[in-house]
Amino acid sequence: MPKVLMKGNEAIAEAAIRAGCLNYFAYPITPQSEVAEYLSWRMPEVNGVFLQGESEVAVSYMIFGAAGAGVRVFTTSSSPGISLMSEAISYLCGAQLPAVFVNIMRGGPGLGGILPSQADYLQATKGIGHGDCRLLVMAPASVQEAAEMVMTAFPLAEKYRNPVMILGDGLIGQMMEPVEFPDQLKSEASNKDGWATNGMDHRGSTTRNLVKSLFLDAEQLNDNNLILRAKYERMKKEDVRWECWNTEETYDALIVSYGTMSRVCKTAISMLKEEGIEVGLVRPQTLFPFPEQAVRQAAQKEGCRVVLSVEMSMGQMVEDVERCVQGALPVKWYGKCGGDVPTPEEIIDLVKTTLSSL
Amino acid sequence: MAKTFKKPDCMTDQKTHYCPGCTHGIIHRLVAETIDELGIRGRTVGIAPVGCAVLAYNYIDCDFQEAAHGRAPAMATGIKRVRPDLMVFTYQGDGDLASIGMGEIIHAANRGEKFTTIFVNNAIYGMTGGQMAPTTMPNQRTTTTPFGRKSDEVGMPIRVAELLGTLVTPGYITRQTVISPKYIQKAKRAIKQAFIYQMEKRCYSLVEVLSTCPTNWGMTPQDALQWVQDVLMPYYPLGDVKVPDSEKVTEAAAGTAN
Ligand SMILES: Cc1ncc(C[n+]2csc(CCOP(=O)(O)OP(=O)(O)O)c2C)c(N)n1
Ligand code: SF4
């Protein structure tokens, strides 16, 4: 299929359909309402399900019900809406149900603002709900990558029987870029007859399935948590993704940055190169699991004197970066989160002043 | 000799965890009998609430999902929208449905979702030890209204059936009780009718059932049944609040002819 020019939000919507997800429930919120608007006409075209729920709370449980019934299902929202969905996300993890949540982040806390932000990093990667639950979190840096991540999110959610989140900043949702989709709809989802409440007749079985997260017995609850833990450990082994950029030769500083912010950093790094200053970049594509090895190795490279975590937040990912660098080098944070994306000039300044202060 | 009265196929052999004299068990049985009689066990999905009936799936033997507190109607919506061929019912207490889950029930009913709700109104929070519910009666003592419910502070009990009956969208909304065989038979007919409306894809259906909680009411099972009769039934009248009318009637009610 030829490339088409699309807004990120629309590409996310279309990508879900191409991935064979024909069920969508949502509640409007800026800056991602275009997903719902697009799917309100597109889902009927493919005989899919579109429903605007009465709140993000309700929507997240519509997702639970549908996922429990064994179909591919997803929703999209933005920061305050995701906070309301976090109860259900915990229940989905506990009951081991696959579903995809897209968070096109806006500034917070509270009502915050409607401009781009990356301030839900900690929520997405460490505190998405009560209990020991985790999401596999993917962070796209372009419209094309957003579409591709959506298409991989469904099989990944099914592989782990766990929700997957696409964490994009507002720019990813709003900007227009060329994007290419596969022609064919992706193959059907994995067989869910072993656990889905899809009706005994439907799966030709005489025993019923239960979807639940309540384990009143301490040992059984611990066992369920051990199953979840094993899945999260497996994610770290099998599905951690990242991009290394300008790291083949030596560099004076390493930047860790993701999403839109990483693109600005790349521009800054190219400009610094012309001045003879080399900076490497690690761009996490999965935020959980975090590319620990990649960051650690890149920081250990001969000649690297400092690691900078550049993010559109007041310093969230930097906690993971510090954890990976383990005190071997100074780790500094730089960021903004009112909605203005730091400019290449700011990053250049940051690198120069940091290097000269060491 | 043929058995004329037996355990429904749709019930497991487990003894229930319900307190002596609690009528949750009777209501479970009516649901199970209905599923048997309609022959729909193989395509039914129940949704258990958070409340004393959270373990309903231990007794009613069909596919089940366990809800978060109050969210069963949203889950039922999710299931029914993606699999309209399944028969879906939620089983909810009055704290679950009329307090934390009030938003979800109103919107599910208003969308006319084609599932059935069994709403067990025992005028109290049973599972958490007898706190006030939105349905608690004026002056009724609970563990959070030790001097009795004060209506001037927390309002009057909510009549859920009547409230949902105000919605213009067609629906089947009825209130029943299970305090004696006569009422049990009527409740059974209502539950079956509710499922039939769902089967026919007619409308949303809800059966409110006045139920007992002798443990948290601090009464003997016998007194609890009497209290339903003397105190609950005058405030919560039994009978159909709404039946699915022809479209004409609802349009007239909405005041929109086109
Ligand atoms: C989000 C949340 N808040 C509170 C609770 C605690 N809780 C469990 S059951 C319940 C009330 C149940 O009462 P009701 O719905 O009337 O059912 P009953 O037990 O009387 O049958 C509450 C408040 C919970 N489990 N989850
Ligand atoms: S606490 Fe009340 S509602 Fe719960 S099982 Fe006992 S009597 Fe029934």
Side-chain angles (χ1 to χ4, degrees), chain A residues 89-112:
Chain A
I89 292 175
S90 169
Y91 278 77
L92 282 153
C93 290
Q96 300 199 64
L97 295 181
V100 174
F101 289 78
V102 179
N103 180 3
I104 300 297
M105 289 178 280
R106 54 187 258 177
L111 212 42

Side-chain angles (χ1 to χ4, degrees), chain B residues 94-110:
Chain B
D94 43 2
D96 193 77
L97 181 143
S99 191
I100 195 166
M102 190 58 121
E104 282 76 12
I105 196 70
I106 288 185
H107 285 279
N110 191 55

Side-chain angles (χ1 to χ4, degrees), chain A residues 106-136:
Chain A
R106 54 187 258 177
L111 212 42
I114 57 168
L115 295 171
S117 157
Q118 295 180 322
D120 300 344
Y121 178 93
L122 287 175
Q123 181 196 44
T125 59
K126 323 232 183 243
I128 194 57
H130 60 281
D132 278 302
C133 61
R134 297 280 186 157
L135 296 180
L136 198 154

Side-chain angles (χ1 to χ4, degrees), chain A residues 1 4 6-22 24 35 38-39 42-43 72 74 76 100 102 142-155 166 179-187:
Chain A
M1 199 181 137
V4 286
M6 264 183 144
K7 244 190 181 187
N9 283 332
E10 292 174 349
I12 286 168
E14 185 59 32
I17 290 180
R18 303 294 169 113
C21 174
L22 300 184
Y24 174 78
V35 185
Y38 184 93
L39 289 173
R42 185 69 173 115
M43 275 302 183
R72 280 192 173 166
F74 89 117
T76 58
V100 174
V102 179
S142 68
V143 172
Q144 179 70 45
E145 195 177 38
E148 281 164 13
M149 283 181 172
V150 168
M151 287 186 276
T152 47
F154 292 99
I166 309 288
V179 54
E180 196 174 0
F181 294 104
D183 283 328
Q184 291 294 314
L185 290 191
K186 283 268 176 74
S187 60

Side-chain angles (χ1 to χ4, degrees), chain B residues 18-19 22 24 52 122 126-127 212-216:
Chain B
Y18 298 115
C19 307
C22 176
H24 262 305
C52 280
N122 58 11
M127 189 198 213
T212 59
C213 181
T215 302
N216 289 303

Side-chain angles (χ1 to χ4, degrees), chain A residues 263-297:
Chain A
R263 293 171 64 158
V264 180
C265 290
K266 283 183 180 178
T267 307
I269 291 170
S270 300
M271 290 161 78
L272 281 162
K273 207 182 208 28
E274 286 169 19
E275 297 185 40
I277 302 171
E278 291 294 341
V279 178
L281 175 86
V282 176
R283 176 173 76 90
Q285 291 167 300
T286 54
L287 303 180
F288 184 90
F290 193 73
E292 299 171 9
Q293 283 284 95
V295 170
R296 188 171 307 133
Q297 280 172 7

